[in-house]
Amino acid sequence: MPEPNVVSWTSLMAGYVDTGQPGMALWLFGKMPECSVIPNEFTFATVINACSILAHLRTGKEVHGLVEVLGFQSNLVVCSSLVDMYGKCNDVDNAQRVFDSMSCRNVVSWTSIVCAYAQNAQGQEALQLFREFIHLTSERPNHFMLASVVNACASLGRLASGKVAHGSVIRGSHDSNDVIASALVDMYAKCGCVEYSDKVFRRIWNPTVIPYTSMIVAAAKYGLGRMSLQLFQEMIDRGIKPNDVTFVGVLHACSHSGLVDEGLQHLESMFEKHGILPNAKHHTCVVDMLGRTGRLNEAYELAKSIQAEPNQEALLWGTLLSASRLHGRVDIAVEASRRLIDSNQQVAGAYVTLSNAYALNGEWENSHDLRSEMRRTGVQKEPGCSWVEVKDSTYVFYAGDVSSCARGSEVVALLRDLEGKMKQRGYVGGSLGLVFVDVEEEAKEETVGLHSERLALGFALISIPKGVIIRIMKNLRMCRDCHEAFKLISEIVEREFVVRDVNRFHHFKSGSCTCTDFW
DNA sequence: GTAGGGTTAG
């Protein structure tokens, strides 16, 4: 072209973005001034999109500056792409700032801001914005919006909101959408209802690699390793190509179900059969898998041989640290904690786990020294918690905290009952009662074995009025036996608290569910 | 010629 104009430039840039070369689009954008072509709103939307894909915050901000200089700051599409860009670059404050500055918004801009919060671990804010969208606009949420909302519910582990979002999906006839179905599979698994994940999954007509992967991961989280492997085989048989995430799921499944040989075979087949090179995440799963079964030396050697980014390294050494503690390998625990503490990552967790490893090994002095060191330096471990939703109530549980619990004695009785039943059914792992004692006592009593992961159930109920409860999860360490335990908990809870599950899927369809006005 | 959605290890 003798004189390409702004449309020609933008078309070419959009072409590069569409074919997975956003860097080329940015390069072209930099060349425009040399040819005296001024970018317009189409150009900016395209370039900002390229920054989103690359998650280049600095470039994004520079482009944002140009948007202001050239006067496109009130363009709907440009602003929506800016909101999305800031979200993808993990700068939620600026996403919100741009969103607030907009005089005109549509469902795309609302989706971008909801998504920005959902993808940056602020699900609560995402849901609040969704409520505002419903109340302030007359627009119906579309499949893009609902996928983000389901994602927010999943990240929060909020079953009640997730079911309501699912109702919205069904009423809007979006339930055949592959993306939404994947999000629902994931949401139900993260909210403690893997059976619902399975139901949603089985309704997908032609699942792609992503819903398959969601379901493989969902089953793995519940200790259903065999089911994960069957799903994997099923997808291979159907000619669906697995990706790197699928293998993270498969290895995770093997690790949590003690399927070491299968796991190692899958690791080997990754590149040989499927052309996917194992990365740090895969190796972390393998370190975990070897570590859980007590093959600590192999796990340690593998960990040392892996090159990874700082964040991924922290996960790797954190994994090895947990395994060393589980099997009382203080030598490796010391090394793994040192690496974490030196890199200034997960410091509190590293101190606590190392202290517990010492205790398990009978080295009480070292254990206490570390606790003193934590007090002296002010390092505090934020306690983990579990929570349970039944109907409109949420109950939060902290390990070892009985005193602040309104119905603590009842819960203790339930746990004792559960423990007895688990033993009757042949559960050979650690004891539920262990959660009642001090760390040191726990360490003295703990028996170590392949499936001896404890059910770390704490208690301390904080009730938010209305209705009765329960879902106990999160701190439930999932392994094969724990799935059985999970069912038992449901049985006991249902009996004791008279919980009825009224929200089966077809109720949404038949209109008998009154959740419509929830938002 | 332009903006928005799903799966990932301790």
Side-chain angles (χ1 to χ4, degrees), chain A residues 70-89:
Chain A
L70 293 177
F72 293 102
Q73 66 273 49
S74 48
N75 180 277
L76 174 66
V77 177
V78 171
C79 285
S80 300
S81 55
L82 280 172
V83 171
D84 179 61
M85 181 275 291
Y86 280 119
K88 297 280 192 319
C89 295

Side-chain angles (χ1 to χ4, degrees), chain A residues 153-360:
Chain A
C153 298
S155 69
L156 291 166
R158 289 252 307 251
L159 181 62
S161 306
K163 282 181 171 176
V164 175
H166 189 181
S168 213
V169 166
I170 292 168
R171 285 192 303 279
S173 301
H174 299 300
D175 43 341
S176 57
N177 182 293
D178 201 52
V179 174
I180 292 197
S182 298
L184 286 169
V185 167
D186 180 54
M187 182 275 290
Y188 280 119
K190 287 179 178 157
C191 291
C193 295
V194 74
E195 293 86 357
Y196 285 6
S197 297
D198 191 52
K199 277 190 185 182
V200 173
F201 177 74
R202 289 300 167 197
R203 288 179 187 205
I204 303 173
W205 186 242
N206 251 335
T208 62
V209 60
I210 295 182
Y212 258 109
T213 303
S214 304
M215 196 60 226
I216 286 169
V217 172
K221 280 191 196 304
Y222 288 78
L224 304 170
R226 289 279 170 212
M227 182 177 171
S228 291
L229 296 185
Q230 274 165 14
L231 282 158
F232 178 74
Q233 194 52 51
E234 182 184 307
M235 93 176 238
I236 300 296
D237 292 344
R238 291 172 80 164
I240 300 159
K241 258 179 79 74
N243 63 21
D244 56 327
V245 185
T246 315
F247 277 103
V248 172
V250 167
L251 294 171
H252 181 57
C254 293
S255 158
H256 283 257
S257 299
L259 304 169
V260 185
D261 293 339
E262 285 91 336
L264 292 173
Q265 278 164 18
H266 279 292
L267 179 75
E268 222 160 84
S269 77
M270 273 181 69
F271 187 69
E272 283 176 11
K273 281 196 195 159
H274 306 279
I276 300 163
L277 216 54
N279 61 30
K281 293 178 185 179
H282 301 110
H283 286 126
T284 302
C285 289
V286 177
V287 165
D288 182 49
M289 190 168 77
L290 293 168
R292 275 175 201 277
T293 46
R295 292 163 70 169
L296 261 298
N297 292 332
E298 288 164 79
Y300 184 36
E301 290 306 317
L302 179 59
K304 279 194 289 190
S305 73
I306 294 165
Q307 298 284 319
E309 300 285 306
N311 283 340
Q312 304 214 325
E313 261 206 353
L315 273 166
L316 177 72
W317 290 102
T319 303
L320 191 65
L321 174 58
S322 304
S324 332
R325 180 216 171 270
L326 182 67
H327 291 280
R329 284 293 297 269
V330 174
D331 54 334
I332 300 178
V334 167
E335 173 62 13
S337 323
R338 188 189 61 74
R339 295 209 187 219
L340 287 173
I341 294 165
D342 285 353
S343 68
N344 211 18
Q345 298 200 57
Q346 306 173 30
V347 174
Y351 273 121
V352 171
T353 313
L354 181 58
S355 162
N356 290 348
Y358 278 132
L360 182 66

Side-chain angles (χ1 to χ4, degrees), chain A residues 121-161:
Chain A
Q122 299 184 56
Q124 201 70 258
E125 288 77 5
L127 292 188
Q128 182 53 36
L129 275 156
F130 179 60
R131 287 184 200 105
E132 284 175 31
F133 168 77
I134 299 292
H135 288 134
L136 298 177
T137 73
S138 51
E139 290 190 73
R140 297 276 305 157
N142 62 15
H143 55 292
F144 287 100
M145 175 67 94
L146 288 168
S148 288
V149 171
V150 172
N151 186 11
C153 298
S155 69
L156 291 166
R158 289 252 307 251
L159 181 62
S161 306

